[in-house]
Amino acid sequence: MKSPAYETNTRYSYRDYLSWDPDERCELIDGLPYNMTPAPSSKHQEILGNIFVLFYQYLSGKRCKVYLAPFEVRLSEKEEDEHTFNVVQPDLSIICDPRKIDERGCKGSPDLIVEVLSPGIAAKRDKTDKFELYQKYKIKEYWIVDPFNENVEVFLLENNRFANRQVYVKGDVFTVSIFSDLLIDLNRIFKDESFE
């Protein structure tokens, strides 16, 4: 079965999601399916790769693990697939509780999520629908990376809300809240690389 068009008013669960064509990538937010955007741009992938490398090197030998999309994150108050209505594929997820990892991905809230903006409606979804979803499920730290303006919005969870927002631009260095000894140099994230 092909994934349904995202305009539908039908509410779907993770059980439905599992029956759809895996080549038709989509996400579920509050039971509504959203088709994933076309393949990311090369700039999107370069920036995401740079972020992944920094976290991967830092986390080597540590308890937490970093995962790149496509990697399913299921967010729900209940265990059963038929009662899970949120399935997202963040660009990058960090999970520090190994009990949340299974063969399908992550069942529960990652500690940190990074979304790299793509043009159009997907960017709006990252800033609105996913923002609300990640806040609801108490993601400790959420990054929205803008590859066009070369900045990172970092939202930290305080009192169950993303109350603390910081914006960092190329040239800035900042600390990751969940890893106090990890400094992120945005010159390394937004470095200009071209083929020689």
Side-chain angles (χ1 to χ4, degrees), residues 145-161:
V145 180
D146 184 339
F148 314 103
N149 296 305
E150 297 189 328
N151 67 53
V152 178
E153 288 182 271
V154 176
F155 298 90
L156 304 179
L157 196 72
E158 293 180 0
N159 300 316
N160 299 325
R161 295 192 57 79

Side-chain angles (χ1 to χ4, degrees), residues 5-190:
Y6 66 84
E7 293 89 5
T8 183
N9 292 323
T10 303
R11 192 169 190 238
Y12 294 94
S13 71
Y14 184 55
R15 175 175 283 179
D16 299 314
Y17 175 97
L18 290 173
S19 71
W20 300 338
D21 182 346
D23 293 329
E24 297 281 328
R25 286 185 60 210
C26 70
E27 297 178 305
L28 283 180
I29 299 177
D30 292 327
L32 297 178
Y34 294 87
N35 291 326
M36 302 289 280
T37 57
S41 69
S42 56
K43 185 170 186 177
H44 176 289
Q45 293 299 80
E46 288 167 8
I47 290 168
L48 181 58
N50 292 340
I51 297 170
F52 175 80
V53 167
L54 290 175
F55 278 119
Y56 181 81
Q57 290 173 341
Y58 173 79
L59 293 173
S60 179
K62 295 182 172 67
R63 177 182 176 93
C64 302
K65 294 189 182 273
V66 59
Y67 297 90
L68 280 172
F71 178 77
E72 291 177 1
V73 172
R74 288 131 39 220
L75 301 170
S76 179
E77 289 84 16
K78 299 188 177 180
E79 291 287 315
E80 302 85 7
D81 291 347
E82 65 269 21
H83 296 296
T84 298
F85 299 101
N86 297 292
V87 185
V88 290
Q89 296 187 26
D91 286 318
L92 183 143
S93 304
I94 293 178
I95 295 111
C96 297
D97 183 349
R99 295 170 300 180
K100 294 181 179 179
I101 302 299
D102 62 19
E103 70 282 355
R104 298 185 202 163
C106 177
K107 190 168 192 173
S109 300
D111 295 86
L112 186 148
I113 283 178
V114 175
E115 298 282 12
V116 180
L117 297 180
S118 297
I121 196 165
K124 182 180 178 186
R125 195 175 308 131
D126 289 341
K127 292 184 171 189
T128 57
D129 300 329
K130 286 188 174 181
F131 178 94
E132 294 296 328
L133 184 68
Y134 297 158
Q135 179 174 256
K136 177 181 178 180
Y137 285 95
K138 301 177 177 58
I139 308 302
K140 295 175 186 173
E141 187 164 343
Y142 177 37
W143 295 13
I144 299 177
V145 180
D146 184 339
F148 314 103
N149 296 305
E150 297 189 328
N151 67 53
V152 178
E153 288 182 271
V154 176
F155 298 90
L156 304 179
L157 196 72
E158 293 180 0
N159 300 316
N160 299 325
R161 295 192 57 79
F162 285 140
N164 187 345
R165 173 185 176 261
Q166 299 292 326
V167 179
Y168 302 100
V169 299
K170 188 174 181 179
D172 287 345
V173 177
F174 65 94
T175 304
V176 179
S177 73
I178 63 171
F179 307 121
S180 59
D181 59 339
L182 175 58
L183 294 176
I184 300 295
D185 180 352
L186 289 189
N187 283 333
R188 292 182 64 189
I189 301 299
F190 297 116

